[in-house]
Amino acid sequence: MRLYAVVAAGGFRRHATYRMATAAGVFTNTVFGFIMAYTYIALWEERPQLGGYDQSEAVTYVWLGQALLMTCAMLGGGFEGDLTERIRTGDIAVDLYRPADLQLWWLAGDLGRAAFHLLGRGIVPMVLGSLAFDLALPGSAWMWPAFLVSVLLGVVVSFALRFLVALSAFWLMDGAGALQMAMLAGLFFSGMLLPLNLFPGVLGEVARALPWSSLLQVPADVFLGRRTGWGLVQAYAFQAGWAVALLLAGRLLQSVATRRVVVQGG
């Protein structure tokens, strides 16, 4: 486990070196946060309690989305591009022969990346949003750690999804198309564009049942106090269930890919 802790720390340091990119990201997140916040205010003035949120909760949802956009890699930008490239060039064969688990290696690095983006690109836009708008912040101190646990589970689900997509490059000529499709799915079904509670009928039920809802919708509901008690346990169980299922699917796909590399190498 010490090895993976070092890898996670390395992932944090790697992203911490890009200071200008981080500053630009904070600026971008803040600008889009203001644009979306005023858009939501106009929408909620016409439709109060839309999706079960009042206006303050809706604006808070906007800033949570900006804080978690890079943390949960809803638009990609994590390890998946590097992994896809290593598969394309054949360098993945070296990784598979290393005395370290491929999936855990990339997961550790991604956790380090997520931790940096939560601190580096998440806190500042959220603070600026709270200064400009009346946000619905948790009234109880225990809701903050409850929220962070949900974010951690969301990051793991996000990793598992992107790991599966990246491994598809073993069978595709180019994994770029799959990565683009995954990015669009993450943007739409995470609730980044609109809260999934606003989606009508069957579409809403399906969207809330898909793993992408773990990236933003579930953590946002925990933050807003809509998941407490047994509801909080159910939220964690939902996220953890998808995380385990997707990680196991990734491990199975990794095993199949490893055998393919070994056969071709032999």
Side-chain angles (χ1 to χ4, degrees), residues 157-228:
V157 172
S158 173
F159 164 81
L161 285 165
R162 289 175 287 124
F163 186 73
L164 281 170
V165 174
L167 288 184
S168 69
F170 276 107
W171 292 271
L172 301 175
M173 294 297 294
D174 187 355
L179 292 177
Q180 288 293 324
M181 292 176 63
M183 181 194 73
L184 293 174
L187 184 65
F188 185 78
F189 287 112
S190 66
M192 188 65 203
L193 296 179
L194 281 173
L196 301 182
N197 294 343
L198 273 63
F199 289 16
V202 176
L203 176 60
E205 295 177 5
V206 171
R208 288 188 291 273
L210 292 174
W212 290 281
S213 66
S214 297
L215 279 57
L216 173 57
Q217 184 66 61
V218 175
D221 283 341
V222 171
F223 186 89
L224 294 171
R226 295 181 171 273
R227 298 293 191 103
T228 59

Side-chain angles (χ1 to χ4, degrees), residues 8-263:
F12 187 98
R13 288 195 301 269
R14 174 187 175 187
H15 288 84
T17 58
Y18 301 106
R19 297 176 183 176
M20 291 303 298
T22 300
V26 169
F27 176 78
T28 302
N29 285 138
T30 302
V31 170
F32 275 97
F34 274 95
I35 293 173
M36 293 185 65
Y38 282 116
T39 302
Y40 272 43
I41 288 172
L43 179 59
W44 259 260
E45 285 180 349
E46 294 295 323
R47 298 283 302 277
Q49 298 299 320
L50 184 63
Y53 297 132
D54 60 29
Q55 187 179 100
S56 179
E57 291 173 327
V59 175
T60 303
Y61 184 97
V62 168
W63 291 103
L64 286 172
Q66 295 306 309
L68 298 181
L69 178 63
M70 288 301 295
T71 303
C72 292
M74 283 175 266
L75 289 177
F79 70 95
E80 58 274 17
D82 293 338
L83 180 53
T84 301
E85 181 63 16
R86 292 188 70 81
I87 294 173
R88 188 187 68 81
T89 60
D91 291 338
I92 192 66
V94 177
D95 300 337
L96 292 172
Y97 281 107
R98 285 175 179 166
D101 184 82
L102 182 72
Q103 188 183 57
L104 289 178
W105 177 281
W106 288 101
L107 173 58
D110 200 55
L111 289 175
R113 175 207 60 80
F116 171 76
H117 282 304
L118 181 62
L119 296 173
R121 289 186 59 170
I123 292 179
V124 174
M126 193 72 184
V127 170
L128 293 175
S130 67
L131 294 175
F133 301 94
D134 181 22
L135 301 188
L137 300 177
S140 174
W142 74 269
M143 290 303 297
W144 290 96
F147 167 69
L148 291 177
V149 171
S150 184
V151 170
L152 173 61
L153 291 171
V155 170
V156 176
V157 172
S158 173
F159 164 81
L161 285 165
R162 289 175 287 124
F163 186 73
L164 281 170
V165 174
L167 288 184
S168 69
F170 276 107
W171 292 271
L172 301 175
M173 294 297 294
D174 187 355
L179 292 177
Q180 288 293 324
M181 292 176 63
M183 181 194 73
L184 293 174
L187 184 65
F188 185 78
F189 287 112
S190 66
M192 188 65 203
L193 296 179
L194 281 173
L196 301 182
N197 294 343
L198 273 63
F199 289 16
V202 176
L203 176 60
E205 295 177 5
V206 171
R208 288 188 291 273
L210 292 174
W212 290 281
S213 66
S214 297
L215 279 57
L216 173 57
Q217 184 66 61
V218 175
D221 283 341
V222 171
F223 186 89
L224 294 171
R226 295 181 171 273
R227 298 293 191 103
T228 59
W230 181 245
L232 181 60
V233 174
Q234 290 179 316
Y236 288 163
F238 173 81
Q239 291 178 291
W242 270 119
V244 170
L246 292 168
L247 287 173
L248 288 176
R251 186 160 292 278
L252 177 61
L253 200 62
Q254 173 185 321
S255 178
V256 173
T258 300
R259 287 198 295 270
R260 179 178 180 180
V261 170
V262 171
V263 170

